[in-house]
Amino acid sequence: MINFKQTLALAVATSALVIAAPAIAQEVKLGFLADVTGPIAGFAPGMVDAGNLAITNINDQGGMFDGQDLVSVIADSACDGGAAGPAADRLVNTEQVVAIFGAYCSGATIAGANGSAIPGNVVMISPASTAPAVAELDDNDLVFRDVVPDSIQGVKAAELLLAQGITEVGVTFVNNDYGSGLAGAFSDAFAAGGGTVAVSVAHEDGKADYRPEIGQVEASGATTLVIYGYENAGGGAILNQAIEAGSFSQFVGGDGMAGDALVAARDSASLEGMILTQAAAAAGPSFDALNALTSAAGQDANGTYVTNSYDAVFLLALAIEKSGSADREGVSAALREVANAPGETILPGEWSKAKELIAAGTDINYEGASGTIEFDDVGDVAGAINYFVIEGGAVVNKGLIE
C-alpha cells in the first residue's frame, strides 16, 4: 500500500517533471502591422482579409509544424510613423510574434522596423511600402517587401505619359517617405525623357483647404496634375478641389490613389480619362490559383495589394515552417530559401504540398500571385507596372507599361 509520504513524493516528482518539460505552444503568432485607419483605410481592410485568407488555407491543411494553428495578431499602425512605433512594440515585445506582415505605408514600416522589429530580430514583409527609403534601412536582412518599389513605378509612369504625348506636368506629393520618393523618381525620369515638371509641390495630410497648393500648380501653367498622395486623405481632397477649380484637363495618380473608393466617392464624369499606376499582379497559374481561393471566400484577387498581401503571409508561414521552429532566429535565411529559385514550385494555397516537401528536405520555390518573388540583397523584388484609365465610371486595366 502506498502511504502518505510516498504519495507526496510521487506528486512532487510529477510536478518537477511538468515544470522541467517546456510547454508546446498551441499557436504560432504572426503580427499584422496593418494601416486599417488613416489615409489608406479605403483599401487596407481587403489586405488584412487576404492575409487572413492565407492563414485559413494553412490551418485547413494541417497548420504549422505538428498541427499548431497559425494566428494573426493585428496592431493598427494608421499609416503613421508615430502610431506604428507603439503598435510594432506591442507585437514584438508583448505579443511575442514570430514575424510581421506589414506595415503597408512606407513611413509606418520604417518606424516599426527601426523601433522594434530590427532590435527584436523579427522579419517583416511589407506588401505595399514602395518608398526607396525602405531599401536603405540598416536592417540585418530582416525587412523585405513583395511589392515593386517606387524607383520602378515612378520611372514607368514617366515613360507612359511621355509616350502618350504629355510633355509638361505639375506634381503634388504627400510630404512623407512614400510621396517624396515616388515624386522624385517620377520627376527625374520625366525630365530625363525630355518632359518638363513645371512645379513640384509638397502637401500635408489633414487639411481642409488645398487651394494654395493647387494655385501653385495652376500658376505654373501645367494642365496635367500628377497627384502622389492618398485617396482617403490629402490626395483625394486635392483631386476634389482641383476638379472644382476646373484648371486641369488631365489627372494622374499612383497606387495611393487607387481603389474602388476613388470612383465610388466622386462624380465619374469628372474623373474620365484619369490615369493610375500600380504594381502588376502575375498572370497564369499563380494568379489563377489565388483567384479561385479569393472567389470562394468572397474576396477579390484584383483588389489593391490583395495578391501581395496573400503572398506575404504565405511566404512568412513557409519560412517559419522551413526554419523548423517558432523561434525568430533563422526565419530570414529560410525566407530566401522558400522564395528564391531553385526549388519545386509552390502556388498560392498549396500548403500541404509545401509542408511535405519541406519535411522531406526538398527545396521549394513559392511562385506568388503578385509576380515573380526573388528577393535581392536588400529584400526587394523586381516586377512590372500596370496602368489603369477611368472610363465610363469604371477603373479599366490597360495592362503593362512596356
Side-chain angles (χ1 to χ4, degrees):
M1 179 181 292
I2 299 175
N3 61 30
F4 173 76
K5 289 185 178 179
Q6 290 173 317
T7 303
L8 179 61
L10 180 60
V12 171
T14 303
S15 298
L17 285 172
V18 171
I19 294 171
I24 299 174
Q26 297 304 306
E27 296 179 337
V28 177
K29 289 184 178 182
L30 192 64
F32 279 29
L33 190 59
D35 304 308
V36 292
T37 62
I40 65 165
F43 57 80
M47 300 166 70
V48 172
D49 289 345
N52 279 322
L53 177 60
I55 288 177
T56 297
N57 296 156
I58 289 163
N59 290 335
D60 285 348
Q61 297 176 58
M64 305 295 297
F65 309 122
D66 297 320
Q68 291 98 318
D69 284 339
L70 182 64
V71 298
S72 62
V73 181
I74 297 180
D76 183 11
S77 41
C79 196
D80 176 74
D89 177 71
R90 178 169 72 83
L91 293 176
V92 172
N93 298 311
T94 302
E95 296 290 349
Q96 292 289 311
V97 301
V98 184
I100 290 176
F101 158 56
Y104 304 167
C105 294
S106 298
T109 293
I110 292 169
N114 283 330
S116 297
I118 296 171
N121 196 35
V122 174
V123 168
M124 303 172 71
I125 301 181
S126 172
S129 295
T130 55
V134 175
E136 299 168 3
L137 288 170
D138 184 10
D139 65 357
N140 298 324
D141 205 32
L142 292 170
V143 181
F144 297 78
R145 50 185 171 179
D146 64 348
V147 61
V148 180
D150 289 333
S151 53
I152 296 176
Q153 183 182 179
V155 170
K156 286 298 183 181
E159 292 174 355
L160 173 67
L161 297 192
L162 291 168
Q164 295 192 352
I166 299 172
T167 58
E168 184 178 50
V169 300
V171 177
T172 181
F173 61 92
V174 60
N175 191 22
N176 63 14
D177 291 305
Y178 163 71
S180 61
L182 181 51
F186 168 82
S187 297
D188 289 347
F190 196 72
T196 299
V197 178
V199 67
S200 187
V201 181
H203 67 260
E204 303 291 340
D205 282 335
K207 295 174 56 177
D209 184 4
Y210 288 96
R211 284 176 295 181
E213 290 87 348
I214 295 169
Q216 290 183 60
V217 181
E218 288 175 327
S220 75
T223 56
T224 294
L225 177 60
V226 179
I227 305 173
Y228 287 138
Y230 303 116
E231 184 278 330
N232 198 43
I238 286 172
L239 177 61
N240 293 340
Q241 292 172 27
I243 290 170
E244 291 175 4
S247 301
F248 304 100
S249 59
Q250 177 69 59
F251 295 105
V252 180
D255 50 337
M257 295 293 290
D260 293 338
L262 176 68
V263 174
R266 294 169 179 85
D267 173 26
S268 60
S270 65
L271 299 176
E272 188 73 15
M274 183 175 182
I275 298 170
L276 301 163
T277 58
Q278 186 178 328
S286 295
F287 181 81
D288 292 343
L290 180 59
N291 192 42
L293 294 169
T294 54
S295 295
Q299 298 180 25
D300 181 8
N302 291 297
T304 303
Y305 292 121
V306 165
T307 56
N308 308 77
S309 298
Y310 185 98
D311 287 346
V313 171
F314 207 84
L315 274 169
L316 286 171
L318 288 171
I320 295 167
E321 184 80 21
K322 175 73 173 178
S323 73
S325 77
D327 295 331
R328 295 166 177 175
E329 190 66 36
V331 175
S332 174
L335 178 59
R336 291 185 180 277
E337 291 179 20
V338 299
N340 294 8
E344 187 159 342
T345 297
I346 299 296
L347 299 179
E350 293 187 333
W351 179 255
S352 57
K353 174 184 175 182
K355 194 175 174 72
E356 291 174 5
L357 291 171
I358 289 171
T362 303
D363 289 338
I364 64 171
N365 177 26
Y366 180 72
E367 292 288 345
S370 58
T372 300
I373 300 173
E374 295 282 329
F375 291 119
D376 63 16
D377 57 352
V378 297
D380 277 354
V381 295
I385 300 294
N386 274 347
Y387 80 101
F388 305 78
V389 178
I390 297 178
E391 297 177 347
V395 181
V396 179
N397 189 343
K398 296 294 186 177
L400 295 177
I401 303 174
E402 300 296 344

